Amino acid sequence: MTGTTMPPVLVTGGAGYIGSHTAMRLAETGFQPIVFDNLSNGHRDFVRWGPFEEGDIRDGDRVRAVLEQYRPCAIIHFAALIEVGESVRFPERFYEVNVGGAATVLAAARRAGIDKFVFSSTCATYGTPQRLPMDESHVQAPLNPYGHSKLMVETMLRDMAGADEMRSVLLRYFNAAGASAAGLIGEDHEPETHAIPLILDAVAGRRPGFAIFGSDYPTRDGTAERDYVHVEDLAEAHVLALRHLLGGGASRSYNVGTGRGTTVRELIAAVEAVTGRACPVRLAERRDGDAAALVAEPARLMAELGWRPTRDLHAILGSAWKWHRSLHAIGEPA
C-alpha cells in the first residue's frame, strides 16, 4: 500500500494530454493517481499529482507488479496510440498496443481482483454518422483501424461485464481541446496532428500555414465539423465515471461532447478572434478515415452522472493559446 488515506487509482497513460488532466482532477477530488506510462507520447513533467511508474501496458509482469504495490481501487485506462492517419498506414501497431495492451491490463486487473475500469474510448467507433447529433445507440461501424481498435476493447469490456468479471464505464470522446486553467499542462504532441495547436502554430508564425483537409464535405461550409470539449470538462467526466463505479453502478457507455459542432473554417475564424492574428490556410485533399461531421448527443451523461460542459469554444481556445504561448515562448506580434 502507499501509506496514504487517499484511495489510489491506476491511470495508464497518465503522462499524456488527457491522462494528466484527469490525474490532476483526481487529486483535487481526494484520490491518489498512480501514473503508469512508457513516455512514448507522454511527458514526465506532466506527472505532478502522484507517484510515477514507468512501464509499457504490453508488459504483463510490470503491470502486475504495479498493481500489487499500490492495490488501486480502480483503473482509468488512457494508454493507446491515437493518430487516425497513422492507424491507416500502420494498423498492426494499433492492434498490438491498443487491443493487446488493454487485454494485458485487463488480465492483470482480474488477477489482482480489480473489477472497476474506466475506458478512454472515442466517437471514432461510430464511423459515418447516420444521424446528428450521435447518441450511444448509434450503430458502431468504424472507418479506420484506430476506431476498430477502440471498439474491440469496448467489446472485451462488455464480455467481461457479462461474465461478472469487470464493471466498466466507456467514455466515447469527441474532440478534446484546451489546457488547464492554471497553465500547468496542455496539448504537446510530437509530431502534432491536432487542429487547434496546428492553427495556433500557424497564427504564431511557427509554421507556414494550416492545411484544410477537404473543402467539399456535406457541411454548411464544406469543411469537416467536429464537437470540441474542454479537456478539464473531459477530466471531470472520468471522475464522475469512477465515482459511479465505486458506488456500485452498472457498466455504461457515455458520449463526452458538447452537442455543438464547429467546422474547420469556423474554428480558424474563432482562433483568429481569440489571438488577434491571421491564419494563412491552404486547401488539401480529404484524409483517409475522416468523417464529414462528428457531433455528440451527451444527454445520457448529463442525466445519469450529472456532467455538464462548463467551458465554451472561446474558453477552450483562450486556455489553449495561453498554454501554447508559454510552451513555445511566443511573444506579442511586432
Side-chain angles (χ1 to χ4, degrees), residues 6-247:
M6 297 172 67
V9 177
L10 185 70
V11 184
T12 68
Y17 173 47
I18 303 173
S20 61
H21 282 85
T22 300
M24 177 175 67
R25 186 61 184 148
L26 284 167
E28 290 171 348
T29 53
F31 295 93
Q32 182 187 47
I34 313 300
V35 170
F36 185 87
D37 201 300
N38 67 2
L39 300 180
S40 60
N41 293 305
H43 303 276
R44 179 64 182 86
D45 61 345
F46 280 16
V47 184
R48 305 184 180 199
W49 295 278
F52 173 62
E53 296 290 340
E54 188 167 354
D56 193 295
I57 56 172
R58 294 166 291 181
D59 183 346
D61 289 341
R62 181 73 180 120
V63 175
R64 285 190 291 272
V66 171
L67 293 179
E68 176 64 25
Q69 178 181 355
Y70 292 97
R71 299 189 180 277
C73 62
I75 296 172
I76 303 181
H77 185 64
F78 295 97
L81 300 177
I82 64 170
E83 206 277 299
V84 169
E86 183 184 359
S87 81
V88 175
R89 295 190 299 274
F90 306 106
E92 71 282 359
R93 296 181 187 173
F94 280 69
Y95 295 119
E96 178 190 359
V97 174
N98 295 5
V99 182
T104 299
V105 172
L106 286 167
R110 180 171 61 177
R111 180 172 172 175
I114 299 166
D115 64 353
K116 293 170 278 293
F117 198 90
V118 179
F119 178 53
S120 166
S121 192
T122 172
C123 64
T125 64
Y126 292 127
T128 301
Q130 305 300 306
R131 60 183 181 275
L132 291 174
M134 305 161 77
D135 65 15
E136 292 83 359
S137 68
H138 192 286
V139 63
Q140 291 181 281
L143 299 175
N144 48 66
Y146 167 64
H148 279 292
S149 72
K150 291 288 191 174
L151 182 56
M152 287 180 178
V153 180
E154 287 197 11
T155 301
M156 281 195 289
L157 287 165
R158 281 192 286 265
D159 288 344
M160 292 181 76
D164 292 327
E165 295 176 342
M166 184 72 66
R167 287 181 297 114
S168 60
V169 172
L170 316 177
L171 295 178
R172 297 177 187 143
Y173 311 161
F174 282 66
N175 281 56
S180 71
L184 298 175
I185 48 177
E187 199 161 7
D188 182 17
H189 302 109
E190 185 57 47
E192 186 56 72
T193 60
H194 293 178
I196 289 175
L198 290 176
I199 298 171
L200 293 175
D201 267 353
V203 302
R206 298 188 69 250
R207 63 180 65 240
F210 175 76
I212 297 176
F213 292 101
S215 57
D216 59 349
Y217 284 109
T219 60
R220 52 187 169 271
D221 61 19
T223 62
E225 182 180 2
R226 296 293 184 265
D227 184 338
Y228 294 93
V229 57
H230 197 289
V231 66
E232 290 190 320
D233 286 333
L234 187 52
E236 179 65 16
H238 289 80
V239 174
L240 292 172
L242 173 63
R243 291 193 181 281
H244 167 79
L245 293 173
L246 292 175

Side-chain angles (χ1 to χ4, degrees), residues 270-295:
V271 170
E272 291 178 330
V274 166
T275 64
R277 303 181 184 212
C279 178
V281 301
R282 63 180 177 85
L283 299 181
E285 295 297 317
R286 296 185 186 186
R287 296 178 297 192
D288 291 339
D290 275 353
L294 295 170
V295 180

